[in-house]
Amino acid sequence: MEYDINEKAGNGIISLTPTFDYHLNEKLFKQKHIFRPYLGLGVGYYILASYIELTQINTARSSRQELKARAIRQIGLLLRGGVKFDKLVVGLEYNFTPSSDIELDNGQKIGTVDLSFIALCFGFRIDLGRKTI
């Protein structure tokens, strides 16, 4: 039997990963430039999609059957870096999760899936205008 994962389906991932960010040379960048580069690291829990849509292909019978399988939740690692421009934040993140077993409802393991990914992030900061002395 062969299996084909439906990559267009909502095979999502949710990450609960607290991070630590280090701002490079804070005094130099805060006083003379409008941007501040940063590096970050985090370890957390990655909740993989509640199910993965796949197609079972039986080459002997020339038939296809739609199935749902699940992947096991993982502990993962996040590495990131970026630049803060006043209130705008632009960053690049790499989320690493170990390969996860794909398991059918009957408990049969049919393979593994690697859900590591790279993300480009845009955001903005909201503050109350407090000044530090």
Side-chain angles (χ1 to χ4, degrees), residues 1 17 30 45 47 50 67 69 81 101 105 119 125:
M1 300 271 177
T17 309
K30 197 170 188 179
Y45 195 59
I47 301 169
S50 57
L67 297 174
D101 291 331
D105 289 336
R125 287 184 314 129

Side-chain angles (χ1 to χ4, degrees), residues 16-57:
L16 303 170
T17 309
T19 61
F20 170 77
D21 291 337
Y22 176 75
H23 294 87
L24 301 173
N25 202 353
E26 185 174 342
K27 291 179 183 176
L28 173 68
F29 286 104
K30 197 170 188 179
Q31 293 175 0
K32 297 183 180 181
H33 301 285
I34 62 169
F35 66 91
R36 292 177 56 207
Y38 68 92
L39 296 173
L41 175 69
V43 175
Y45 195 59
Y46 287 77
I47 301 169
L48 309 179
S50 57
Y51 62 87
I52 297 172
E53 292 182 13
L54 50 91
T55 304
Q56 180 182 17
I57 304 167

Side-chain angles (χ1 to χ4, degrees), residues 96-110:
F96 170 76
T97 57
S99 294
S100 178
D101 291 331
I102 300 174
E103 192 174 283
L104 295 175
D105 289 336
N106 64 7
Q108 178 186 1
K109 293 180 182 176
I110 60 169

Side-chain angles (χ1 to χ4, degrees), residues 2 4 9 14 24 49-50 64 69-70 74 90-91 98 107 110 122 132:
E2 292 182 28
D4 183 31
I14 296 172
L24 301 173
S50 57
R64 300 170 69 91
R70 55 181 188 272
Q74 297 282 349
V90 179
I110 60 169
F122 295 96
T132 58

